[in-house]
Amino acid sequence: MENQYKKTFPDLMAGKKIIYVHGFMSAGSTHTAQILRDYMPQATVIAPDLPIHPEEAMELLRNLVGTEKPDLIIGTSMGGMYTEMLYGIDRICVNPAFQMGATLTESNMMGKQVYQNERQDGVQEVIVTKALVKEYRDMTEQCFSQVNEEERQHVFGLFGDADSIVHTFDLFREHYPQAIRFHGEHRLIEKAIFHYLMPVVRWIDDRQEGRERRTVFIDQNTLADGHGKPKSSLHKAYEFLLDNYNVFFVCPAPTNSPEAIARQQEWIEETFSTPAWDHVVFTNQPQLLYGDYLISSTGNDDFLGTTLHFGSDEFKTWEEIITFFERLGGQ
């Protein structure tokens, strides 16, 4: 079977610089940094080894930002904590450890620890002491110190819904509105990078470039089978459309059943996760939407763009929807 994660995004962040900030007891040689390079071959991904002492790490990162002037910073775990404080730049904080002192003690990381990845300085072991834990506690007190309206638009937070180590979703959301859950644990594996991190990078790249993609609306009535499960090839079609279009889901908003809105939102979040964040439109009048394509099983011939009647002889399945858009070539 073909490995879907071998796919690359050649135009994404092309000609731009990205700084990747690794987590605790990791290094710039982490596989995560290489995955980002593989996925975005036209971007430059810089991944420094961080000093174990937080003040030294922040000094290194601030100097690096000053010299390299990155277009995007991505940080995971401890690196997400540091990333939040690199103000003035678009940033993605993945499972950020905003309570590093507590995380170290609760995760039994006192005493001798071995780096998970090879470091350029050759050091592979470190002793985590109470004094070092206090340094991290002091550093995390500096988080969120320069948050303003502009910064709130610069920062995305991604939080694994099965993360058993760091639980800072609510803390992040107190300061930044773009708090998004994804299906995953604390460690950022390739599947999560592909399905959940890369769509957020695409949003940022589009915004930086002033790029407006054509819009596809997908009616809620095309998504589930009779058992409430995603229809065959739905995920494949969704991933395909995300490459070229701005994709929204359209759901009814029954006036006398507000709980139905919550159920639909939960189903879409569970099924599609991060890429569907803030991409759901609730309306009882889909024909009034302004967009390029509407995929709907009810036809909606009054839609102002092109309607694809899902379930018709031409579009019986999601595979036929994919074929239609393949022939368009992203137009």
Side-chain angles (χ1 to χ4, degrees), residues 81 96-106 136-137 140-141 143-144 165-168 171:
M81 177 267 291
F98 293 127
Q99 298 163 329
M100 268 296 293
T103 299
L104 290 174
T105 54
E106 292 170 3
Y136 279 105
R137 290 185 189 276
T140 55
E141 290 180 1
C143 293
F144 314 116
I165 298 175
V166 169
H167 309 284
T168 59
L171 176 59

PDB file of all heavy atoms in Angstrom, residues 81 96-106 136-137 140-141 143-144 165-168 171:
ATOM      1  N   MET A  81       6.285  26.135  24.683  1.00  0.00           N
ATOM      2  CA  MET A  81       6.334  27.166  25.723  1.00  0.00           C
ATOM      3  C   MET A  81       7.263  28.303  25.302  1.00  0.00           C
ATOM      4  O   MET A  81       6.911  29.480  25.380  1.00  0.00           O
ATOM      5  CB  MET A  81       6.793  26.537  27.043  1.00  0.00           C
ATOM      6  CG  MET A  81       6.961  27.500  28.211  1.00  0.00           C
ATOM      7  SD  MET A  81       8.665  28.128  28.385  1.00  0.00           S
ATOM      8  CE  MET A  81       9.536  26.641  28.900  1.00  0.00           C
ATOM      9  N   PRO A  96       1.913  22.710  24.122  1.00  0.00           N
ATOM     10  CA  PRO A  96       2.891  23.540  24.829  1.00  0.00           C
ATOM     11  C   PRO A  96       2.906  23.288  26.335  1.00  0.00           C
ATOM     12  O   PRO A  96       1.864  23.243  26.984  1.00  0.00           O
ATOM     13  CB  PRO A  96       2.417  24.972  24.517  1.00  0.00           C
ATOM     14  CG  PRO A  96       0.953  24.833  24.208  1.00  0.00           C
ATOM     15  CD  PRO A  96       0.815  23.504  23.545  1.00  0.00           C
ATOM     16  N   ALA A  97       4.121  23.149  26.880  1.00  0.00           N
ATOM     17  CA  ALA A  97       4.284  22.846  28.309  1.00  0.00           C
ATOM     18  C   ALA A  97       4.441  24.151  29.084  1.00  0.00           C
ATOM     19  O   ALA A  97       5.543  24.536  29.458  1.00  0.00           O
ATOM     20  CB  ALA A  97       5.484  21.938  28.514  1.00  0.00           C
ATOM     21  N   PHE A  98       3.320  24.834  29.317  1.00  0.00           N
ATOM     22  CA  PHE A  98       3.348  26.114  30.019  1.00  0.00           C
ATOM     23  C   PHE A  98       3.536  25.959  31.527  1.00  0.00           C
ATOM     24  O   PHE A  98       3.608  26.951  32.249  1.00  0.00           O
ATOM     25  CB  PHE A  98       2.052  26.887  29.758  1.00  0.00           C
ATOM     26  CG  PHE A  98       1.895  27.322  28.332  1.00  0.00           C
ATOM     27  CD1 PHE A  98       0.740  27.018  27.629  1.00  0.00           C
ATOM     28  CD2 PHE A  98       2.885  28.038  27.680  1.00  0.00           C
ATOM     29  CE1 PHE A  98       0.577  27.421  26.314  1.00  0.00           C
ATOM     30  CE2 PHE A  98       2.737  28.441  26.370  1.00  0.00           C
ATOM     31  CZ  PHE A  98       1.580  28.125  25.685  1.00  0.00           C
ATOM     32  N   GLN A  99       3.593  24.710  31.984  1.00  0.00           N
ATOM     33  CA  GLN A  99       3.814  24.436  33.415  1.00  0.00           C
ATOM     34  C   GLN A  99       4.980  23.454  33.544  1.00  0.00           C
ATOM     35  O   GLN A  99       4.885  22.411  34.179  1.00  0.00           O
ATOM     36  CB  GLN A  99       2.531  23.876  34.037  1.00  0.00           C
ATOM     37  CG  GLN A  99       1.368  24.863  33.953  1.00  0.00           C
ATOM     38  CD  GLN A  99       0.006  24.230  34.179  1.00  0.00           C
ATOM     39  OE1 GLN A  99      -0.205  23.061  33.849  1.00  0.00           O
ATOM     40  NE2 GLN A  99      -0.920  24.990  34.744  1.00  0.00           N
ATOM     41  N   MET A 100       6.110  23.824  32.948  1.00  0.00           N
ATOM     42  CA  MET A 100       7.248  22.922  32.821  1.00  0.00           C
ATOM     43  C   MET A 100       7.751  22.397  34.158  1.00  0.00           C
ATOM     44  O   MET A 100       8.135  21.234  34.273  1.00  0.00           O
ATOM     45  CB  MET A 100       8.391  23.619  32.086  1.00  0.00           C
ATOM     46  CG  MET A 100       8.395  23.399  30.588  1.00  0.00           C
ATOM     47  SD  MET A 100       8.652  21.670  30.128  1.00  0.00           S
ATOM     48  CE  MET A 100      10.339  21.406  30.686  1.00  0.00           C
ATOM     49  N   GLY A 101       7.781  23.246  35.183  1.00  0.00           N
ATOM     50  CA  GLY A 101       8.253  22.782  36.483  1.00  0.00           C
ATOM     51  C   GLY A 101       7.426  21.619  36.988  1.00  0.00           C
ATOM     52  O   GLY A 101       7.955  20.572  37.386  1.00  0.00           O
ATOM     53  N   ALA A 102       6.110  21.781  36.960  1.00  0.00           N
ATOM     54  CA  ALA A 102       5.215  20.711  37.405  1.00  0.00           C
ATOM     55  C   ALA A 102       5.307  19.500  36.486  1.00  0.00           C
ATOM     56  O   ALA A 102       5.268  18.349  36.951  1.00  0.00           O
ATOM     57  CB  ALA A 102       3.776  21.231  37.457  1.00  0.00           C
ATOM     58  N   THR A 103       5.441  19.742  35.180  1.00  0.00           N
ATOM     59  CA  THR A 103       5.534  18.636  34.228  1.00  0.00           C
ATOM     60  C   THR A 103       6.751  17.767  34.506  1.00  0.00           C
ATOM     61  O   THR A 103       6.686  16.531  34.453  1.00  0.00           O
ATOM     62  CB  THR A 103       5.597  19.177  32.789  1.00  0.00           C
ATOM     63  OG1 THR A 103       4.399  19.908  32.505  1.00  0.00           O
ATOM     64  CG2 THR A 103       5.730  18.041  31.788  1.00  0.00           C
ATOM     65  N   LEU A 104       7.878  18.390  34.830  1.00  0.00           N
ATOM     66  CA  LEU A 104       9.097  17.629  35.110  1.00  0.00           C
ATOM     67  C   LEU A 104       8.947  16.746  36.339  1.00  0.00           C
ATOM     68  O   LEU A 104       9.353  15.579  36.335  1.00  0.00           O
ATOM     69  CB  LEU A 104      10.279  18.578  35.295  1.00  0.00           C
ATOM     70  CG  LEU A 104      10.761  19.305  34.036  1.00  0.00           C
ATOM     71  CD1 LEU A 104      11.846  20.317  34.390  1.00  0.00           C
ATOM     72  CD2 LEU A 104      11.280  18.320  33.006  1.00  0.00           C
ATOM     73  N   THR A 105       8.372  17.290  37.385  1.00  0.00           N
ATOM     74  CA  THR A 105       8.241  16.511  38.618  1.00  0.00           C
ATOM     75  C   THR A 105       7.154  15.442  38.485  1.00  0.00           C
ATOM     76  O   THR A 105       7.345  14.295  38.913  1.00  0.00           O
ATOM     77  CB  THR A 105       7.928  17.437  39.804  1.00  0.00           C
ATOM     78  OG1 THR A 105       6.767  18.233  39.510  1.00  0.00           O
ATOM     79  CG2 THR A 105       9.097  18.366  40.074  1.00  0.00           C
ATOM     80  N   GLU A 106       6.036  15.780  37.880  1.00  0.00           N
ATOM     81  CA  GLU A 106       4.932  14.829  37.753  1.00  0.00           C
ATOM     82  C   GLU A 106       5.249  13.708  36.770  1.00  0.00           C
ATOM     83  O   GLU A 106       4.672  12.620  36.853  1.00  0.00           O
ATOM     84  CB  GLU A 106       3.661  15.561  37.314  1.00  0.00           C
ATOM     85  CG  GLU A 106       3.112  16.505  38.382  1.00  0.00           C
ATOM     86  CD  GLU A 106       2.015  17.404  37.856  1.00  0.00           C
ATOM     87  OE1 GLU A 106       1.636  17.246  36.668  1.00  0.00           O
ATOM     88  OE2 GLU A 106       1.534  18.267  38.623  1.00  0.00           O
ATOM     89  N   TYR A 136      12.820  26.442  35.422  1.00  0.00           N
ATOM     90  CA  TYR A 136      11.696  26.298  34.484  1.00  0.00           C
ATOM     91  C   TYR A 136      10.422  26.928  35.056  1.00  0.00           C
ATOM     92  O   TYR A 136       9.639  27.538  34.311  1.00  0.00           O
ATOM     93  CB  TYR A 136      11.473  24.826  34.145  1.00  0.00           C
ATOM     94  CG  TYR A 136      12.435  24.325  33.088  1.00  0.00           C
ATOM     95  CD1 TYR A 136      13.506  23.506  33.424  1.00  0.00           C
ATOM     96  CD2 TYR A 136      12.278  24.690  31.757  1.00  0.00           C
ATOM     97  CE1 TYR A 136      14.403  23.059  32.467  1.00  0.00           C
ATOM     98  CE2 TYR A 136      13.160  24.246  30.786  1.00  0.00           C
ATOM     99  CZ  TYR A 136      14.223  23.436  31.144  1.00  0.00           C
ATOM    100  OH  TYR A 136      15.101  23.008  30.183  1.00  0.00           O
ATOM    101  N   ARG A 137      10.213  26.781  36.343  1.00  0.00           N
ATOM    102  CA  ARG A 137       9.043  27.426  36.946  1.00  0.00           C
ATOM    103  C   ARG A 137       9.133  28.943  36.769  1.00  0.00           C
ATOM    104  O   ARG A 137       8.140  29.603  36.435  1.00  0.00           O
ATOM    105  CB  ARG A 137       8.951  27.085  38.434  1.00  0.00           C
ATOM    106  CG  ARG A 137       8.576  25.649  38.739  1.00  0.00           C
ATOM    107  CD  ARG A 137       8.382  25.444  40.238  1.00  0.00           C
ATOM    108  NE  ARG A 137       8.224  24.045  40.594  1.00  0.00           N
ATOM    109  CZ  ARG A 137       7.072  23.386  40.542  1.00  0.00           C
ATOM    110  NH1 ARG A 137       5.983  24.016  40.140  1.00  0.00           N
ATOM    111  NH2 ARG A 137       7.020  22.113  40.892  1.00  0.00           N
ATOM    112  N   THR A 140       8.362  29.882  33.063  1.00  0.00           N
ATOM    113  CA  THR A 140       6.965  29.816  32.641  1.00  0.00           C
ATOM    114  C   THR A 140       6.133  30.967  33.199  1.00  0.00           C
ATOM    115  O   THR A 140       5.066  31.277  32.649  1.00  0.00           O
ATOM    116  CB  THR A 140       6.328  28.471  33.055  1.00  0.00           C
ATOM    117  OG1 THR A 140       6.494  28.290  34.469  1.00  0.00           O
ATOM    118  CG2 THR A 140       6.986  27.316  32.328  1.00  0.00           C
ATOM    119  N   GLU A 141       6.609  31.604  34.246  1.00  0.00           N
ATOM    120  CA  GLU A 141       5.903  32.791  34.753  1.00  0.00           C
ATOM    121  C   GLU A 141       5.976  33.960  33.780  1.00  0.00           C
ATOM    122  O   GLU A 141       5.207  34.923  33.897  1.00  0.00           O
ATOM    123  CB  GLU A 141       6.478  33.195  36.114  1.00  0.00           C
ATOM    124  CG  GLU A 141       6.138  32.216  37.239  1.00  0.00           C
ATOM    125  CD  GLU A 141       6.726  32.636  38.572  1.00  0.00           C
ATOM    126  OE1 GLU A 141       7.383  33.713  38.609  1.00  0.00           O
ATOM    127  OE2 GLU A 141       6.536  31.912  39.570  1.00  0.00           O
ATOM    128  N   CYS A 143       5.457  33.569  30.548  1.00  0.00           N
ATOM    129  CA  CYS A 143       4.554  33.306  29.424  1.00  0.00           C
ATOM    130  C   CYS A 143       3.382  34.278  29.427  1.00  0.00           C
ATOM    131  O   CYS A 143       2.938  34.741  30.479  1.00  0.00           O
ATOM    132  CB  CYS A 143       4.024  31.874  29.503  1.00  0.00           C
ATOM    133  SG  CYS A 143       5.268  30.604  29.236  1.00  0.00           S
ATOM    134  N   PHE A 144       2.889  34.596  28.254  1.00  0.00           N
ATOM    135  CA  PHE A 144       1.707  35.441  28.042  1.00  0.00           C
ATOM    136  C   PHE A 144       1.912  36.889  28.487  1.00  0.00           C
ATOM    137  O   PHE A 144       0.948  37.624  28.673  1.00  0.00           O
ATOM    138  CB  PHE A 144       0.477  34.865  28.764  1.00  0.00           C
ATOM    139  CG  PHE A 144       0.291  33.387  28.575  1.00  0.00           C
ATOM    140  CD1 PHE A 144       0.366  32.508  29.647  1.00  0.00           C
ATOM    141  CD2 PHE A 144       0.049  32.871  27.313  1.00  0.00           C
ATOM    142  CE1 PHE A 144       0.203  31.150  29.478  1.00  0.00           C
ATOM    143  CE2 PHE A 144      -0.124  31.503  27.127  1.00  0.00           C
ATOM    144  CZ  PHE A 144      -0.045  30.638  28.212  1.00  0.00           C
ATOM    145  N   ILE A 165       0.428  13.967  29.245  1.00  0.00           N
ATOM    146  CA  ILE A 165       1.547  14.625  29.921  1.00  0.00           C
ATOM    147  C   ILE A 165       1.284  16.102  30.187  1.00  0.00           C
ATOM    148  O   ILE A 165       1.511  16.605  31.284  1.00  0.00           O
ATOM    149  CB  ILE A 165       2.841  14.467  29.087  1.00  0.00           C
ATOM    150  CG1 ILE A 165       3.193  12.973  28.963  1.00  0.00           C
ATOM    151  CG2 ILE A 165       3.998  15.245  29.716  1.00  0.00           C
ATOM    152  CD1 ILE A 165       4.368  12.695  28.063  1.00  0.00           C
ATOM    153  N   VAL A 166       0.790  16.815  29.168  1.00  0.00           N
ATOM    154  CA  VAL A 166       0.581  18.260  29.280  1.00  0.00           C
ATOM    155  C   VAL A 166      -0.897  18.569  29.080  1.00  0.00           C
ATOM    156  O   VAL A 166      -1.523  18.048  28.147  1.00  0.00           O
ATOM    157  CB  VAL A 166       1.435  19.015  28.236  1.00  0.00           C
ATOM    158  CG1 VAL A 166       1.030  20.468  28.161  1.00  0.00           C
ATOM    159  CG2 VAL A 166       2.919  18.884  28.578  1.00  0.00           C
ATOM    160  N   HIS A 167      -1.442  19.426  29.935  1.00  0.00           N
ATOM    161  CA  HIS A 167      -2.871  19.771  29.853  1.00  0.00           C
ATOM    162  C   HIS A 167      -3.010  21.287  29.970  1.00  0.00           C
ATOM    163  O   HIS A 167      -3.376  21.808  31.021  1.00  0.00           O
ATOM    164  CB  HIS A 167      -3.647  19.072  30.966  1.00  0.00           C
ATOM    165  CG  HIS A 167      -3.386  17.596  31.057  1.00  0.00           C
ATOM    166  ND1 HIS A 167      -3.936  16.683  30.177  1.00  0.00           N
ATOM    167  CD2 HIS A 167      -2.594  16.875  31.905  1.00  0.00           C
ATOM    168  CE1 HIS A 167      -3.509  15.471  30.490  1.00  0.00           C
ATOM    169  NE2 HIS A 167      -2.696  15.567  31.526  1.00  0.00           N
ATOM    170  N   THR A 168      -2.726  21.989  28.895  1.00  0.00           N
ATOM    171  CA  THR A 168      -2.718  23.450  28.964  1.00  0.00           C
ATOM    172  C   THR A 168      -3.690  24.093  27.974  1.00  0.00           C
ATOM    173  O   THR A 168      -3.569  25.279  27.678  1.00  0.00           O
ATOM    174  CB  THR A 168      -1.296  23.991  28.716  1.00  0.00           C
ATOM    175  OG1 THR A 168      -0.845  23.563  27.416  1.00  0.00           O
ATOM    176  CG2 THR A 168      -0.327  23.494  29.778  1.00  0.00           C
ATOM    177  N   LEU A 171      -5.625  26.956  29.657  1.00  0.00           N
ATOM    178  CA  LEU A 171      -4.716  28.063  29.956  1.00  0.00           C
ATOM    179  C   LEU A 171      -4.389  28.841  28.684  1.00  0.00           C
ATOM    180  O   LEU A 171      -4.411  30.079  28.677  1.00  0.00           O
ATOM    181  CB  LEU A 171      -3.433  27.526  30.593  1.00  0.00           C
ATOM    182  CG  LEU A 171      -2.323  28.550  30.887  1.00  0.00           C
ATOM    183  CD1 LEU A 171      -2.820  29.636  31.833  1.00  0.00           C
ATOM    184  CD2 LEU A 171      -1.102  27.842  31.476  1.00  0.00           C
TER     185      LEU A 171
END
